[in-house]
């Protein structure tokens, strides 16, 4: 079964706009980008409403396309209604591109000129059609693709949530594959840099965070004329729970792997810290870390008494850490990452002298620990060791909002 192994989401005002009217949601398995329009902050209101209707997730839906389309319909109705009740917000609207990751496919609902892309085997494919004037002119053969690139009315869209009482939305599903990278973005990215450049950046930055930051930087370097929103996630196969992620090119750093631009107050619970805790030496079974720790202390004590040079001690510790890392591949604990997001870690919450971590970030939720009640925070983020199944189902419930307050 495929699931989201790594994600990164952020939005940037760009270099020319004063406000950011884009909104996003990155709450796996649901990802949304909305780009609002309208005067006096109305665009911001519209895009926020579009994202809000997805905040509670879809549950275990059997018909994701239908459910996504229904949410889009209710967002349209809410925005339309509000635009009539308030003169300042008359005519406001928003684009919407929402993706739901189901077990074997991604379902997409889409209106406007935000986009969804997939990078697979180094090839970038656009999964959505723009509902824009330029795109219609292109389809009618009235302009060439070259003319479209710099067309003065590039940002005029022909369909949006809000302006009309009802809206036609595109829905589609695509079969997924391990290693697929998905990008949702607002036009502030794609009007600033070419798809070739997007493809190149995604291909050369395997970590989602690096790719996202590089995309934003490239759009800003090209002028940053509009708000830029980027939501990225990568799917991996999780059917072999003891195996490391198949195409993870580097060991992720749990403190920097994921970032969300959602309101994210300072982390209330620190990431797994480095207690001066020794390695679980020869810990074949990682289920009893305390005992393993005892052995570790004893071993280290012996080494010290024999006055083995520090360098050799470090080498030994390094080898032990490597062994422990393999042995620890099947235990998990829940903590928070550097940005306060509830995170699933593989391994045990200890760090060896020299900064060698016995854990790695396995999955970052979109849930900020600060949204949990203190009691829930204590029981969930207590770093107790769990099986992958237990930990995953806990986090799944958390993401569905069942464990909230
Ligand atoms: Mn825009």
């Amino acid at each position: 079964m495929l699931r989201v192994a790594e994600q990164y989401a952020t939005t940037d005002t760009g270099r020319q706009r004063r406000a950011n009217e884009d909104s996003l949601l990155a709450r796996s398995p649901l990802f949304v980008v909305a780009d609002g329009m309208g005067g006096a902050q109305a665009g911001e209101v519209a895009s926020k409403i579009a994202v809000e209707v997805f905040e509670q997730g879809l549950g275990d839906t059997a018909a994701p396309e239908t459910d996504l389309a229904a949410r889009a319909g209710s967002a349209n109705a809410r925005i339309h209604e509000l635009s009539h009740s308030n003169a300042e917000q008359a005519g406001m609207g928003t684009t919407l591109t929402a993706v739901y990751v189901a077990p074997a496919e991604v379902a997409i609902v889409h209106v406007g000129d935000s986009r969804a892309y997939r990078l697979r085997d180094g090839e970038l494919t656009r999964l959505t059609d723009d509902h824009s004037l330029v795109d219609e002119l292109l389809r009618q053969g009235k302009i060439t693709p070259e003319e479209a690139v710099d067309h003065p009315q590039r940002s005029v869209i022909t369909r949006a949530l809000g302006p009309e009482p009802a809206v036609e939305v595109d829905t589609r599903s695509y079969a997924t594959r391990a290693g697929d990278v998905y990008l949702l973005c607002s036009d502030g990215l794609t009007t600033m840099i070419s798809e070739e450049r997007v493809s190149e950046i995604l291909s050369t930055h395997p970590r989602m965070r690096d790719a996202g930051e590089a995309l934003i930087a490239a759009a800003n370097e090209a002028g940053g004329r509009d708000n830029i929103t980027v939501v990225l996630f990568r799917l991996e196969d999780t059917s072999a729970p003891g195996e490391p992620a198949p195409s993870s090119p580097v060991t992720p750093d749990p403190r920097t792997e994921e970032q969300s631009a959602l309101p994210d107050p300072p982390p209330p619970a620190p990431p797994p810290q480095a207690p001066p805790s020794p390695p679980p030496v020869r810990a074949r079974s990682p289920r009893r870390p305390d005992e393993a720790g005892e052995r570790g202390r004893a071993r280290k004590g012996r080494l010290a008494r024999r006055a083995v040079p520090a360098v050799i001690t470090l080498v030994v510790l390094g080898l032990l850490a490597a062994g422990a890392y393999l042995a620890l591949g099947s235990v998990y604990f829940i903590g928070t990452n550097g940005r306060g997001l509830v995170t699933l870690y593989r391994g045990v919450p200890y760090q060896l002298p020299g900064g060698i971590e016995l854990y790695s970030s396995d999955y970052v939720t979109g849930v900020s620990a600060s949204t949990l009640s203190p009691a829930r925070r204590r029981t969930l983020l207590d770093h107790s060791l769990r099986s992958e199944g237990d930990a995953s189902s806990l986090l799944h419930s958390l993401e569905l909002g069942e464990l909230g307050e």
Side-chain angles (χ1 to χ4, degrees), residues 3 27 33 103 120 167 172 237 242 259 263 336 347 350:
R3 65 159 195 193
R27 193 165 290 175
V33 166
R120 175 183 288 174
V167 66
R172 285 181 195 171
D237 194 346
Q259 182 179 32
T336 56
Y350 303 122

Side-chain angles (χ1 to χ4, degrees), residues 17 22 35-36 113 186-188 226-227:
R17 300 281 172 93
D22 288 0
D35 177 353
D113 66 351
S186 60
D187 68 329
D226 193 4
N227 308 141

Side-chain angles (χ1 to χ4, degrees), residues 313-335:
T313 308
L314 281 178
V315 169
V316 169
L317 287 175
L319 291 173
L320 293 173
Y325 182 78
L326 293 175
L328 295 173
S330 57
V331 281
Y332 293 78
F333 65 94
I334 295 171

Side-chain angles (χ1 to χ4, degrees), residues 109-180:
V109 64
H110 168 74
V111 179
D113 66 351
S114 300
R115 292 178 181 178
Y117 289 94
R118 176 189 67 214
L119 185 78
R120 175 183 288 174
D121 299 331
E123 192 183 320
L124 189 73
T125 306
R126 199 202 296 179
L127 306 178
T128 49
D129 292 323
D130 290 349
H131 301 139
S132 66
L133 183 63
V134 163
D135 221 51
E136 276 183 15
L137 294 174
L138 256 179
R139 278 197 298 266
Q140 293 164 9
K142 289 182 176 161
I143 57 170
T144 65
E146 292 72 35
E147 288 169 328
V149 172
D150 289 319
H151 198 280
Q153 272 137 0
R154 283 204 64 153
S155 56
V156 174
I157 58 177
T158 51
R159 256 198 258 170
L161 297 187
E164 305 288 332
V167 66
E168 185 192 343
V169 300
D170 292 351
T171 55
R172 285 181 195 171
S173 294
Y174 296 89
T176 48
R177 212 195 272 172
D180 277 355

